[in-house]
Amino acid sequence: MRSSGLWQPLGRRDYVISARPWRAALYLLTSVPLGAATLLTLALLAVAGSALAVVLVGLPLLLVLVLSGIPLASLERRRLRLVDSTPLADPHREPSGTGLAAWLRTRLQERSTWRELGYALLFATVLWPLEALAVGAMLLVCGGLMATPAVMAAGGDGEAKVLKLWIADSYPEAFAVLAAGVVLLPVLAYPLGAVAAGRAVLTRQLLSVPESGADSRLRELDRSRMRLVDAFEAERRRIERDLHDGAQQRLVALSMTLGLARLEGPAEPLSGLLAKAQGEADVALVEIRELIRGIHPQVLTDRGLPAAVEDIADRSPLPVDVRLDVPGRLLEAVESGVYFAVSEALANVAKHSGATRASVRGGVASGRLAVEVEDDGRGGARLAADGVTGCGTGTGTGTGSGSGSGPGDGTRAGTGLQGVADRLSVLGGSLLLSSPPGGPTVFRLEVPCPPARSRT
């Protein structure tokens, strides 16, 4: 369980000398003014909204009261990072439309909104007073002990009350009390850290929406889908290795043997047959090399997606500008899917668009890789469920279940991009196309890009 990780630092030997006690104290201290402000805000909204509801002016105030947990929860998710390094995801979904009405309708239908309102009420009435008590007790005890010499000097009568429990009547005794406070400070850091950890666990539980049975099944389906993708990629790599190390090497040996037989055999007719056989072997060798490259190019394995896309651009019959900013390596399935999508898009540009130049640009933002392939061709392409292309549309869009092809030549040529769309759909990605008549045509793909696991 994720929350168990919040308690583990308390058992480490270096806990006291680390930054964690200070971060825990800051987490609890910031709760006090935030909680007091929340209590005041909720009270004012409730009183004013209820009093003015009879004249309808208070209804907006009551609506604000219901929604007041949303900004507080957003702030709490950020404040939680003081003691918990794992971010707490925002459970709210995007509104189904634009405008304030769509936003309100979406938020009022979400369980998260009502859970956050409940959290705001709990925080304002119960949590922050308890945190103030915990931090105040620590400051009172340690601060009172360490301030004893200063209190004695300020009083001028040579004595000072220590926590109102006993009287220190000499400076040696006062400094001994100060030393006891210094020693007690790291000792109390542990219970203070435990309070902060418990508070963080409670916050995480209240502000994260529990998964329903359907949500759990969907997540398991996503995980099983990714396992199938990984298994498929592993099988592709195995076929590639078998072809490269087996069939290709045998064809090379066959071609060399036929060449030696031509040198040693008679001129005709055996020499002609051997030459023809050697030519067939060379053609088969070229085809199997292309097949190996089509299964999984070696440059993609060795150097990653940007280098592999540049390799496609170098082999394209059209000039292609590549500006692909991908930090580090991605999952092999993501790299492979994007590589073949770009390859198919550039192949369609070369075959159907009539373009003189193309570009590939993209990068990673908000956990998603977006890549655009643009050409200066005649346009009129579209993404359609049946894979038919034509000139009738100005712009078109498609998701992972759509398909399409090059520009509007009126031909049926959607099977390539149908496979690309299906492959990106498995990865949770999508295809988009903008192709007004006269161009330019922009082929855009987006796919989630979690960082790659170890490749060793």
Side-chain angles (χ1 to χ4, degrees), residues 317-352:
L318 296 176
V320 179
D321 300 320
V322 178
R323 296 191 304 275
L324 198 58
D325 183 17
V326 179
R329 298 300 298 269
L330 307 177
L331 292 179
E332 292 184 9
V334 172
E335 288 187 342
S336 179
V338 174
Y339 171 84
F340 286 107
V342 172
S343 178
E344 181 69 24
L346 288 178
N348 284 340
V349 170
K351 293 177 183 178
H352 307 296

Side-chain angles (χ1 to χ4, degrees), residues 185-197:
L185 184 63
V187 174
L188 292 180
Y190 286 95
L192 192 68
V195 172

Side-chain angles (χ1 to χ4, degrees), residues 34-281:
L34 181 60
T38 302
L39 176 60
L40 179 61
T41 301
L42 294 180
L44 288 176
L45 287 174
V47 172
S50 300
L52 298 175
V54 292
V55 291
L56 302 181
V57 179
L59 295 181
L61 295 178
L62 294 178
L63 180 60
V64 173
L65 175 64
V66 171
L67 300 173
S68 60
I70 296 177
L72 176 64
S74 179
L75 181 58
E76 284 292 277
R77 292 186 185 95
R78 290 175 172 81
R79 208 167 60 87
L80 187 63
R81 299 296 296 275
L82 288 170
V83 291
D84 188 357
S85 59
T86 302
L88 182 59
D90 188 345
H92 295 288
R93 65 179 187 270
E94 290 295 325
S96 56
T98 58
L100 179 61
W103 186 85
L104 287 174
R105 184 168 55 252
T106 301
R107 292 294 174 262
L108 292 176
Q109 291 175 352
E110 291 178 323
R111 287 191 301 163
S112 302
T113 301
W114 302 99
R115 289 176 65 91
E116 289 168 353
L117 175 60
Y119 174 83
L121 294 173
L122 182 65
F123 179 44
T125 57
V126 177
L127 295 181
W128 78 266
L130 294 179
E131 293 169 275
L133 181 62
V135 178
M138 179 180 177
L139 293 177
L140 178 64
V141 172
C142 294
L145 293 177
M146 290 188 290
T148 301
V151 173
M152 182 177 292
D157 53 1
E159 63 181 26
K161 290 185 178 181
V162 181
L163 301 180
K164 296 186 178 181
L165 297 177
W166 75 89
I167 297 177
D169 54 6
S170 66
Y171 277 101
E173 185 178 0
F175 281 103
V177 172
L178 183 150
V182 173
V183 172
L184 189 61
L185 184 63
V187 174
L188 292 180
Y190 286 95
L192 192 68
V195 172
R199 173 71 163 82
V201 171
L202 179 63
T203 300
R204 182 171 286 275
Q205 292 295 325
L206 292 178
L207 295 184
S208 59
V209 178
E211 291 183 354
S212 64
D215 293 335
S216 300
R217 288 192 294 271
L218 286 175
R219 287 186 177 273
E220 180 56 32
L221 284 174
D222 286 339
R223 287 191 289 265
S224 63
R225 182 181 65 181
M226 290 307 300
R227 288 194 294 267
L228 288 174
V229 170
D230 291 340
F232 175 68
E233 288 298 323
E235 184 64 16
R236 286 168 58 94
R237 298 290 301 278
R238 185 191 66 78
I239 295 172
E240 175 206 359
R241 288 193 300 268
D242 290 347
L243 289 174
H244 183 275
D245 299 335
Q248 181 178 247
Q249 300 305 320
R250 291 182 181 276
L251 282 174
V252 171
L254 174 61
S255 180
M256 294 177 63
T257 303
L258 290 172
L260 293 174
R262 288 180 60 192
L263 295 176
E264 297 179 0
E268 292 293 343
L270 185 58
S271 179
L273 293 175
L274 290 174
K276 183 178 180 180
Q278 186 180 20
E280 293 293 335

Side-chain angles (χ1 to χ4, degrees), residues 346-376:
L346 288 178
N348 284 340
V349 170
K351 293 177 183 178
H352 307 296
S353 69
T356 60
R357 196 169 193 89
S359 66
V360 180
R361 59 183 181 271
V364 177
S366 302
R368 295 181 69 85
L369 171 64
V371 179
E372 291 184 352
V373 180
E374 182 176 354
D375 66 71
D376 59 358

